[in-house]
Amino acid sequence: MTDRPPLPYDHMPDVPAFDVSSDDVADGEQMSENQAFDDWGMTGGNISPALRWSGFPAETKSFAVTCFDPDAPTGSGFWHWIVLDLPASVTELETNAAGTDSSGLPEGAFQVRNDYGVKDFGGAAPPKGDTPHRYVFAVHALDVDSLGVNDEISPAVAGFNLRFHTIARAVIVPVYSL
């Protein structure tokens, strides 16, 4: 048994992978202060990273983007970002596409309230001295144009719906510690 929680998709049905990259975060590398939280005594930028993806299945009808910290000391991890109903024609989000007004998102896309309680990107905020936390940024290729939910659902309900409509997934896992 490992001392670390599993990644969120370790116990989900296997789906094909595709590519995701970023100019702001890198797999296994420390995120910058731009992606750290700006509250709770922290002074990060709280800026969502740029993400771009390719190689997804031709039958993709929409995308979702999520960020989850499985290492949060909660017993249930911590959702930092949930974007749903991204059109299939969208293959990237620019740096700082989040924001409580969602103005950086394409038409039709929306954010679900994260575990900070806001419809926004919530930056990294691990306890000082903790092992570096993993931040699982995932792009989910979906088999539906819309999940048929609204922005008032919980992250768990979003995850439940994603579980049944994801046909492929791209993942990048940067880390952050204080």
Side-chain angles (χ1 to χ4, degrees):
M1 185 163 150
T2 178
D3 290 339
R4 300 198 76 174
L7 294 177
Y9 309 110
D10 286 354
H11 299 290
M12 294 283 193
D14 285 334
V15 295
F18 59 100
D19 297 318
V20 62
S21 60
S22 175
D23 294 331
D24 300 322
V25 297
D27 203 59
E29 298 294 322
Q30 172 87 0
M31 289 191 293
S32 79
E33 291 301 308
N34 286 338
Q35 282 74 51
F37 195 50
D38 185 24
D39 203 348
W40 298 0
M42 298 181 66
T43 57
N46 217 47
I47 296 171
S48 60
L51 298 171
R52 65 187 161 279
W53 51 93
S54 62
F56 47 86
E59 62 270 23
T60 300
K61 294 185 177 176
S62 68
F63 295 102
V65 171
T66 59
C67 178
F68 181 76
D69 173 4
D71 301 314
T74 64
S76 61
F78 199 92
W79 288 99
H80 287 262
W81 197 24
I82 305 103
V83 182
L84 303 177
D85 288 2
L86 288 160
S89 60
V90 172
T91 59
E92 69 178 297
L93 292 175
E94 294 182 5
T95 301
N96 207 21
T100 53
D101 66 357
S102 298
S103 61
L105 298 177
E107 186 174 337
F110 62 92
Q111 298 177 105
V112 171
R113 194 173 315 279
N114 60 29
D115 282 337
Y116 288 117
V118 296
K119 297 171 187 173
D120 194 354
F121 172 76
K128 187 174 179 93
D130 231 9
T131 303
H133 285 212
R134 299 165 293 168
Y135 294 86
V136 182
F137 287 89
V139 180
H140 310 261
L142 306 177
D143 64 359
V144 292
D145 293 324
S146 171
L147 285 177
V149 297
N150 64 34
D151 65 350
E152 294 302 317
I153 63 169
S154 69
V157 171
F160 177 85
N161 282 277
L162 290 172
R163 154 56 176 94
F164 293 102
H165 292 287
T166 297
I167 58 174
R169 185 179 301 110
V171 176
I172 187 169
V173 187
V175 298
Y176 188 80
S177 61
L178 297 173

